[in-house]
Amino acid sequence: MATTGRLSPAPERGGAPDATVRIASVPAGHVYVRHCSDASESDGVVRLADPRPNGAPSTSQRWWPPVMLDPDWVHAHHADFDAFHLHFGFDAQSPRDLDSLVRALRKYGKPLVYTAHDLRNPHQPDPAPHDAALDVLVPAADHLITLTPGAAAEIGRRWNRAATVLPHPHVVEEPRISRPRPPRDRFRVGVHAKSLRPNMSLLPVVRALTAAVADLPEAELHVNVHHDVDDPDAHAYAPDVSAELRALADAGRLRLHTHDYFDDDQLWDYLTGLDLSVLPYAFGTHSGWLEACHDLGTPVAAPSCGFYAEQRPCLSYGHTVEDGLDETSLYDAVHEAHRTRPEWRATAAERAAERAGVAAAHRAVYRELLG
């Protein structure tokens, strides 16, 4: 395990060595973090609820921007937690802000755990801001966690730090994980563009997919986007993208679906309705979408950037910022999925056991740091 040694002064924590550990988790309400606890029993770890951001209504479940990242919150609440665990949500924090947070935690002897979900932020076209944030967080963390061996190796190369590798826990809940997939006569390939996140290289992928799907019997391509892509007042407004997608739909090359954000049940229905979900990313690291597909038994074609192929079984195709899209490998991935119909799906028992192991590993990290 990777630690930087004991902090001084000692953490403000009393009671027996096996007492409940209180974690200031950023965030706490996100599905990944919620599923880092043991579902079957109390695991001795309590994560503080996300403080409601200024302006959020009292009924809101919104956790961003995270209030806990403010050093003033640490100064006011240091007696309420034993260790601080940062996952994500620090996009708006400058390196100076993060350094102030680290210094506040050190003042009160609070260990910092950082889970490196993203070594390249999918929401930022320029990697420099995230790199600068990581240059503060990774050296300062008392323990590092990440999701794949490849990400751990990159952390070792860039910062000479070791990271514990823990799998991403399930995203979908029972009984959906165990629900049989509906039979279908046609082969449906799907690309969900959401609100055109910066790491998406959508049109080149869609163009290549139209060719790949056209050569297959009983196959169809579905492309989904959110309404804000067509909204001139929205940040995601992209009239050129919309125009080309509509032209391809009008020509019968794809089926275009424009809609509001899916809730969980709608998203699970959408994914279950696909025979292949294609991730149109040109950069990134890990994927919660891939985990949901693994829960539901939907095969995924993932790009070669990042560490998706290490995260869960999937088909891969060449796609990076540096080299662009390898259309041939994407064509081959689609045809391989059509030919073999891969059945990569977690069982409920496997996911429950995996989640219990992830929870136990987190508990062990916290208790080791607290002594």
Side-chain angles (χ1 to χ4, degrees):
M1 292 187 177
T3 67
T4 58
R6 297 291 300 171
L7 296 176
S8 181
E12 299 173 7
R13 178 175 177 269
D18 60 350
T20 297
V21 179
R22 304 165 302 165
I23 303 300
S25 179
V26 180
H30 189 278
V31 64
Y32 171 91
V33 182
R34 288 190 283 107
H35 290 176
C36 285
S37 63
D38 196 319
S40 62
E41 60 184 34
S42 173
D43 60 5
V45 176
V46 173
R47 292 170 176 86
L48 276 60
D50 296 308
R52 191 168 67 251
N54 289 335
S58 60
T59 56
S60 174
Q61 299 299 310
R62 198 185 83 190
W63 53 264
W64 67 93
V67 176
M68 290 183 185
L69 294 181
D70 188 339
D72 288 340
W73 184 91
V74 175
H75 294 313
H77 296 277
H78 60 87
D80 299 334
F81 66 95
D82 304 308
F84 194 96
H85 193 155
L86 177 57
H87 290 272
F88 35 76
F90 53 88
D91 304 42
Q93 312 304 117
S94 69
R96 179 176 294 182
D97 294 333
L98 294 172
D99 184 66
S100 296
L101 172 67
V102 169
R103 286 188 283 109
L105 293 171
R106 286 176 174 165
K107 176 179 180 179
Y108 301 107
K110 304 298 180 179
L112 170 62
V113 180
Y114 172 52
T115 296
H117 294 264
D118 299 312
L119 297 180
R120 175 77 191 268
N121 191 319
H123 302 285
Q124 296 175 336
D126 181 1
H130 193 66
D131 287 346
L134 294 180
D135 283 341
V136 174
L137 293 172
V138 174
D142 296 284
H143 196 104
L144 292 167
I145 297 172
T146 193
L147 309 182
T148 56
E154 183 172 335
I155 290 168
R157 287 192 300 270
R158 290 173 63 178
W159 294 282
N160 195 30
R161 292 293 310 273
T164 300
V165 177
L166 297 176
H168 193 303
H170 67 98
V171 174
V172 181
E173 303 273 9
E174 279 282 65
R176 292 298 294 251
I177 291 180
S178 299
R179 186 176 298 175
R181 290 176 61 83
R184 260 190 317 279
D185 294 331
R186 298 184 64 81
F187 181 77
R188 181 177 297 176
V189 178
V191 179
H192 199 313
K194 305 182 187 178
S195 296
L196 300 181
R197 198 167 60 182
N199 72 330
M200 292 187 178
S201 180
L202 178 65
L203 290 179
V205 169
V206 168
R207 293 173 193 134
L209 286 174
T210 59
V213 170
D215 289 343
L216 293 172
E218 301 298 321
E220 57 192 24
L221 172 62
H222 288 243
V223 177
N224 287 53
V225 295
H226 291 153
H227 279 304
D228 52 6
V229 175
D230 287 323
D231 182 356
D233 295 325
H235 179 72
Y237 181 52
D240 292 344
V241 173
S242 293
E244 181 164 345
L245 292 177
R246 283 194 295 269
L248 289 169
D250 292 342
R253 306 295 300 278
L254 57 83
R255 298 188 181 187
L256 179 62
H257 308 277
T258 305
H259 53 80
D260 292 326
Y261 286 69
F262 284 152
D263 62 24
D264 284 351
D265 284 336
Q266 290 170 324
L267 180 56
W268 308 155
D269 287 343
Y270 161 77
L271 290 175
T272 303
L274 298 180
D275 298 291
L276 180 67
S277 180
V278 179
L279 307 184
Y281 308 153
F283 59 87
T285 311
H286 301 113
S287 171
W289 190 276
L290 175 58
E291 295 292 339
C293 288
H294 188 58
D295 289 330
L296 297 168
T298 301
V300 170
S304 55
C305 61
F307 304 101
Y308 308 110
E310 293 185 11
Q311 190 177 340
R312 295 296 170 190
C314 61
L315 296 160
S316 294
Y317 70 96
H319 197 186
T320 66
V321 171
E322 296 77 14
D323 298 327
L325 171 64
D326 180 356
E327 295 183 5
T328 300
S329 64
L330 180 55
Y331 182 101
D332 291 344
V334 173
H335 281 243
E336 176 72 8
H338 183 270
R339 183 180 66 83
T340 63
R341 309 298 172 100
E343 296 182 359
W344 298 316
R345 186 175 191 180
T347 67
E350 289 167 346
R351 281 303 217 181
E354 183 179 65
R355 176 171 173 176
V358 168
H362 279 83
R363 180 174 63 248
V365 167
Y366 300 146
R367 288 184 172 166
E368 179 180 332
L369 290 174
L370 294 167

